[in-house]
Amino acid sequence: MMGLSGRAAIVGAAESDAIGILPGKSTLQLVAEASLNAAEDAGLSIRDIDAVFTAGWRPTEVAEYLGIAPRFFDGTQVGGSSYVIHVGHAAAAIANGLCEVALIVHGESGRSRIGMFPEGGGPQLPAGQFEAPYGLPGAVGSYAMACSRHMHEFGTTREQLAEIAVATRKWAAMNPKAFSRDPLTIEEVVSAPLICWPFGKLDCCLVTDAAGAVIVTSLERARDCRMRPIRVLGFGEGLDHQIISAMPSYVHGPGRISGPPAFAMAGVTAADIDVAQIYDSFTYTVLLTLEDLGFCRKGEGGAFVAGQRTAPGGAFPLNTSGGGLSYTHPGMFGIFTIIEAVRQLRHEYADQGPRQVADAAIGLIHGTGGRLSATGTAILGRD
Amino acid sequence: MAQDKPLPVPDPVTQPYWDGLNAGELRIQRCRSCEKAVFYPRALCPHCGSRDLGWITCSGRGTLHAFTIAHRGTPAAFKGSTPYVVAMVELEEGARVMTNLIDVDPTPEAVKIGMAVEVVFEKASDAITLAKFRPR
Ligand SMILES: [Zn+2]
């Protein structure tokens, strides 16, 4: 395992030409835009890509649309964490010579629903038989139910969850691409219309149209690319269920599985992380992940995020793009955790005051997919 | 026009569970190797991997393990039913099942994790009966 650390690097990272509400663009068009933009960011051509990693779409569908015939591909689809997991899979494949230039891409017309990939299950699947008859409201109902258990066991409050939404909005205010940039208060979050108790509207991620893509290559080739390489120092993945009624414990997520191998491979600890991008599908997703990754002890997530600790100027810079809560969230946000981590570690915001986390050298990215089902954790480092 | 609420379609492994509900019994699997309760019904025990599963009839009593109160974001067929409680109930026999908690005020003041609940059989169609729960 140690042999994989740092052998691959991210050299390109970009969104689609625009993100937000885009009724004039199909899902595959968004995928193409992000792929082209990420390749351009790296100083490479779409024709240089020899590996495709995607979820939602099949790799066949993406490669066909881009007009490429990759020699390696992976369609691991476990929800919004898939792309973080793809980073590890791509790094392993590159280190073993199976491919050299990997595209990881996600696009979704999540809001306008133009040319969407097919979704859904059926009434004979486990979710169709044992959840759907009770009107479970998809992801939001599932995460809300898990959160109720954390509140019961540890006394976590809606105000503590709201700290995350408020801090994330402060980062979004500095990001011109962010969907929601107006200041927010804890009172506004807890008094927003209820979606699924204990979540109000502002505990929940946005629904937008957007795509994102990153390019991963060998460290050797990366050093010839246009931008400073951001090395993949460590990675791990974990899952312990698919549907929420089968989750073993609502207060222990798969981050407890994906985190330790990522830290071990990178040879760092939680204390070494300068900046973190943690998938914020809901406020509780972040709180649970902080505990599962060991940034605080189990049950202490509420206290950890109190006092705007994760806001600009706070002790723990988190979701510095504005996250899925305030920046963008087309459907599977994991790809955007990678893009923002790369930008912070490149110091792309160096002339933008507090938006740049000073001297950021080591970043953590973490995706949570499905119904708190599957996670990917990766540690990235400035070369 | 109101949409019909989604109904399950049983498969060969789960059929005895649905047959039980139609007969007014809550039946789940128990592993004969490790003796743990198994839900949802499977072809193997998810706790130990054994194929040696049998069916037991539950008491119908349990406690509320977790819940959400659905106000918005529901499947289309449930829009006219809000607010309602989607809950996980831990059965006396050890398994946890998803359900609706009914006959209760759908507020966090009235619904409490740990509260004692009991099964109510609710006929949904000629073929399907659902196991719902109410405070006891
Ligand atoms: Zn067993």
Side-chain angles (χ1 to χ4, degrees):
Chain A
M1 283 252 291
M2 294 305 287
L4 292 175
S5 181
R7 304 255 313 266
I10 303 171
V11 291
E15 297 105 334
S16 43
D17 295 354
I19 63 175
I21 302 176
L22 306 166
K25 292 192 179 185
S26 76
T27 295
L28 277 168
Q29 180 179 2
L30 293 167
V31 163
E33 289 180 0
S35 301
L36 288 164
N37 292 342
E40 188 180 350
D41 186 54
L44 296 168
S45 154
I46 204 94
R47 315 301 304 171
D48 293 318
I49 292 164
D50 68 353
V52 168
F53 297 74
T54 194
W57 294 113
R58 291 176 284 197
T60 45
E61 293 162 320
V62 167
E64 174 188 280
Y65 196 86
L66 298 178
I68 59 177
R71 60 180 171 130
F72 194 90
F73 42 87
D74 174 11
T76 298
Q77 157 58 312
V78 290
S81 55
S82 301
Y83 315 96
V84 179
I85 292 167
H86 292 160
V87 169
H89 293 186
I94 290 164
N96 285 286
L98 303 175
C99 59
E100 191 181 17
V101 180
L103 166 72
I104 305 172
V105 63
H106 168 59
E108 193 162 335
S109 177
R111 191 179 185 104
S112 303
R113 317 298 294 177
I114 310 299
M116 274 293 291
F117 45 79
E119 293 174 295
Q124 204 165 28
L125 301 187
Q129 291 193 56
F130 301 106
E131 293 190 342
Y134 311 105
L136 176 70
V140 59
S142 299
Y143 285 71
M145 193 149 59
C147 185
S148 78
R149 192 71 204 174
H150 201 279
M151 295 168 77
H152 173 74
E153 290 193 24
F154 304 116
T156 305
T157 65
R158 290 199 61 206
E159 285 74 13
Q160 288 173 327
L161 293 162
E163 292 268 3
I164 296 166
V166 171
T168 306
R169 181 63 63 87
K170 290 177 184 169
W171 288 107
M174 295 187 285
N175 180 358
K177 292 182 181 173
F179 191 85
S180 298
R181 302 180 63 193
D182 294 338
L184 199 60
T185 66
I186 287 169
E187 176 56 29
E188 285 172 317
V189 178
V190 299
S191 62
L194 282 169
I195 306 297
C196 287
W197 185 93
F199 294 160
K201 187 174 194 295
L202 298 168
D203 289 286
C204 304
C205 62
L206 304 164
V207 180
T208 62
D209 305 322
V214 300
I215 306 286
V216 188
T217 190
S218 65
L219 183 61
E220 298 71 41
R221 183 148 180 183
R223 285 175 171 157
D224 292 331
C225 285
R226 195 170 74 87
M227 304 294 281
R228 174 190 290 268
I230 302 302
R231 298 171 72 171
V232 182
L233 301 179
F235 50 88
E237 59 198 67
L239 71 79
D240 63 9
H241 67 285
Q242 169 55 37
I243 59 178
I244 198 69
S245 58
M247 186 170 181
S249 165
Y250 288 159
V251 298
H252 296 88
R256 75 191 190 285
I257 305 168
S258 62
F263 283 113
M265 193 191 296
V268 304
T269 68
D272 296 317
I273 301 301
D274 298 315
V275 58
Q277 315 295 337
I278 293 176
Y279 192 161
D280 52 346
S281 47
F282 304 95
T283 48
Y284 178 58
T285 320
V286 175
L287 189 138
L288 181 67
T289 302
L290 289 167
E291 296 176 358
D292 289 335
L293 293 181
F295 288 110
C296 60
R297 282 189 294 221
K298 184 49 66 183
E300 296 182 355
F304 183 84
V305 299
Q308 291 295 285
R309 187 196 195 110
T310 67
F316 191 85
L318 173 69
N319 293 345
T320 53
S321 64
L325 291 170
S326 289
Y327 151 56
T328 201
H329 189 287
M332 296 192 276
F333 182 75
I335 191 75
F336 301 97
T337 67
I338 313 168
I339 294 169
E340 176 64 12
V342 166
R343 289 173 176 165
Q344 284 287 351
L345 294 171
R346 285 176 177 172
H347 300 175
E348 281 193 22
Y349 309 127
D351 60 351
Q352 296 180 47
R355 189 179 179 196
Q356 176 64 51
V357 175
D359 305 320
I362 299 179
L364 175 138
I365 55 176
H366 179 91
T368 301
R371 306 293 184 251
L372 291 165
S373 323
T375 58
T377 310
I379 314 291
L380 307 179
R382 186 176 161 88
D383 187 36
Chain B
M1 196 177 75
Q3 208 175 323
D4 287 339
K5 289 181 178 176
L7 288 178
V9 175
D11 65 62
V13 170
T14 67
Q15 188 68 55
Y17 167 79
W18 296 108
D19 289 346
L21 295 183
N22 280 334
E25 290 190 351
L26 179 57
R27 300 172 191 159
I28 65 169
Q29 289 173 310
R30 184 152 64 196
C31 175
R32 294 195 182 99
S33 293
C34 73
E35 301 191 333
K36 286 187 174 149
V38 172
F39 196 84
Y40 50 88
R42 286 171 170 83
L44 83 171
C45 170
H47 307 293
C48 75
S50 169
R51 294 171 189 258
D52 192 10
L53 297 169
W55 289 87
I56 59 170
T57 299
C58 297
S59 69
R61 290 187 296 271
T63 55
L64 188 69
H65 179 75
F67 71 100
T68 182
I69 305 166
H71 290 261
R72 297 170 65 193
T74 70
F78 291 83
K79 278 192 166 49
S81 307
T82 58
Y84 58 93
V85 180
V86 184
M88 290 299 294
V89 165
E90 184 160 310
L91 302 174
E92 281 184 343
E93 292 75 13
R96 293 205 298 257
V97 300
M98 187 174 285
T99 188
N100 293 123
L101 188 67
I102 60 173
D103 297 342
V104 68
D105 187 26
T107 64
E109 291 72 36
V111 181
K112 293 293 179 195
I113 288 176
M115 70 196 291
V117 298
E118 64 184 7
V119 72
V120 181
F121 299 102
E122 195 177 281
K123 197 166 172 59
S125 74
D126 287 345
I128 294 294
T129 301
L130 297 175
K132 301 208 170 170
F133 284 78
R134 68 184 173 207
R136 67 177 155 91

